[in-house]
Amino acid sequence: MKIHIFFEFKEGPFGGGNQFLKALKKSFQEKGIYSDKPENADIILFNSHHEISRIFKFKKKYPEKIMIHRIDGPIFFIRNKNLEIDRLIYKINNQLADATIFQSDWSKKKNYDLGMKKNFFETTIHNAPDNTIFNTDNKSNFKVTGKIRIIASSWASNMNKGFKTYEWLDNNLDFSKYEMTFCGNSPVKFKNIKHIKPIPSNKLAKILKEHDIFITASEKDPCSNSLTEALHCGLPAVGYNDGGHPEIIDHAGEIFNKP
């Protein structure tokens, strides 16, 4: 059995979908079940609404291939617009997908609420990072003395990615007791929080391991890649009570409802 992922991969730091699918591709390659050529694969994994025209042409040419659709969003809930993209995703799922993968149970329910039809074969599989990079190797111990080290990260600079809370923390956190770092793109100019621009995954993992607690305040996030990266590095997480955060954090941290 061979698998191919229909996706235009980006090198370096990029969005969560790109980072997860790169890690998944690497895992398939290590297991010897990945095909670089889709025509030689038995199973095609395609993502959300990406590469759609190419997918339709491919399925028409190779109708026997098994098509598995990885669903995101709903995008409408994340962006507060673009409902037409979700409807396109549902149409694609109905016409092409032999099976559907949701990133979280929250995402599955919300997509159903927007009108998505159930597939006969479907399941929920949370995202996971590359565990050769994001792991507990050389993780710093929690310090009994000194400041507690908090970190947050995000590739997207959308305010819904938690920046109202991070801005609140920047103004209200007791910086005599805590220090806080933010890695990624930010629409907010921080006064007290240390801001590190987007960096490669190996450098991000090293910085995560130097901290004590991860916080994510993103809203309506189906399965935050930054959260899974931090958890794999051994950090307990504090997450906003929305999206897939509660089911992903589970017993590995705490949930909050307001700053």
Side-chain angles (χ1 to χ4, degrees), residues 71-89:
I71 295 286
D72 199 358
I75 292 172
F76 175 73
F77 288 160
I78 299 170
R79 300 179 183 173
N80 296 319
K81 59 181 181 178
N82 299 129
L83 181 58
E84 66 278 5
I85 295 180
D86 287 304
R87 288 173 175 161
L88 173 62
I89 290 169

Side-chain angles (χ1 to χ4, degrees), residues 100-109 112 122-127 222-223 247:
T100 305
I101 295 174
F102 295 95
Q103 296 180 38
S104 63
D105 289 335
W106 177 89
S107 178
K108 178 166 66 174
K109 181 183 182 303
Y112 287 158
E122 61 181 32
T123 191
T124 297
I125 303 176
H126 293 156
N127 297 340
C223 188
E247 64 187 273

Side-chain angles (χ1 to χ4, degrees), residues 1 10 21 77 79 87 90 92 95 106 145 148 167 180 193 200 222 227 232 239 248:
M1 180 189 72
K10 306 287 186 184
L21 290 172
F77 288 160
R79 300 179 183 173
R87 288 173 175 161
Y90 303 158
I92 295 163
Q95 294 183 4
W106 177 89
T145 59
I148 297 168
E167 188 171 33
M180 183 167 174
I193 294 172
L227 173 58
H232 275 73
I248 295 162

Side-chain angles (χ1 to χ4, degrees), residues 5-245:
I5 302 173
F6 258 89
F7 190 75
E8 187 178 342
F9 293 97
K10 306 287 186 184
E11 291 302 318
F14 207 73
N18 182 75
Q19 301 305 92
F20 165 67
L21 290 172
K22 279 200 302 186
L24 184 63
K25 178 182 176 181
K26 181 180 176 181
S27 178
F28 288 155
Q29 288 172 327
E30 290 171 350
K31 290 177 170 62
I33 60 173
Y34 190 78
S35 172
D36 289 318
K37 296 182 178 180
E39 60 270 21
N40 294 337
D42 306 290
I43 298 171
I44 304 296
L45 175 64
F46 64 103
N47 187 66
S48 188
H49 59 287
H50 303 118
E51 304 278 343
I52 295 309
S53 59
R54 188 170 162 230
I55 286 285
F56 269 103
K57 290 177 183 176
F58 181 84
K59 180 63 175 176
K60 187 175 181 180
K61 186 174 180 181
Y62 300 97
E64 76 284 359
K65 303 291 186 186
I66 297 172
M67 311 294 283
I68 300 179
H69 192 191
R70 177 180 179 263
I71 295 286
D72 199 358
I75 292 172
F76 175 73
F77 288 160
I78 299 170
R79 300 179 183 173
N80 296 319
K81 59 181 181 178
N82 299 129
L83 181 58
E84 66 278 5
I85 295 180
D86 287 304
R87 288 173 175 161
L88 173 62
I89 290 169
Y90 303 158
K91 182 179 180 181
I92 295 163
N93 195 66
N94 291 338
Q95 294 183 4
L96 290 181
D98 297 298
T100 305
I101 295 174
F102 295 95
Q103 296 180 38
S104 63
D105 289 335
W106 177 89
S107 178
K108 178 166 66 174
K109 181 183 182 303
K110 293 300 182 182
N111 278 298
Y112 287 158
D113 290 346
L114 274 186
M116 181 179 175
K117 295 179 181 177
K118 291 186 177 183
N119 200 336
F120 187 78
F121 295 104
E122 61 181 32
T123 191
T124 297
I125 303 176
H126 293 156
N127 297 340
D130 184 341
N131 62 9
T132 65
I133 298 173
F134 297 97
N135 52 52
T136 57
D137 295 348
N138 302 313
K139 169 73 176 72
S140 297
N141 292 326
F142 188 91
K143 294 186 295 184
V144 177
T145 59
K147 293 182 181 180
I148 297 168
R149 302 160 295 184
I150 302 172
I151 187 168
S153 65
S154 174
W155 164 259
S157 58
N158 185 329
M159 282 299 291
N160 289 339
K161 285 295 185 177
F163 291 102
K164 292 177 184 176
T165 297
Y166 305 147
E167 188 171 33
W168 186 92
L169 288 169
D170 192 45
N171 292 319
N172 293 278
L173 195 65
D174 182 356
F175 284 92
S176 67
K177 182 178 180 181
Y178 300 97
E179 62 182 53
M180 183 167 174
T181 302
F182 175 83
C183 290
N185 294 304
S186 172
V188 175
K189 188 173 179 61
F190 298 119
K191 295 177 294 183
N192 297 297
I193 294 172
K194 181 182 178 181
H195 182 191
I196 299 173
K197 297 290 185 180
I199 50 178
S201 293
N202 60 330
K203 292 184 179 180
L204 174 59
K206 183 177 183 296
I207 292 173
L208 284 169
K209 294 174 188 180
E210 293 170 352
H211 287 75
D212 303 309
I213 300 169
F214 183 82
I215 183 169
T216 177
S218 58
E219 301 171 30
K220 301 175 177 62
D221 209 335
C223 188
S224 166
N225 237 58
S226 60
L227 173 58
T228 62
E229 289 169 351
L231 290 172
H232 275 73
C233 286
L235 276 74
V238 179
Y240 180 50
N241 189 14
D242 197 10
H245 295 338

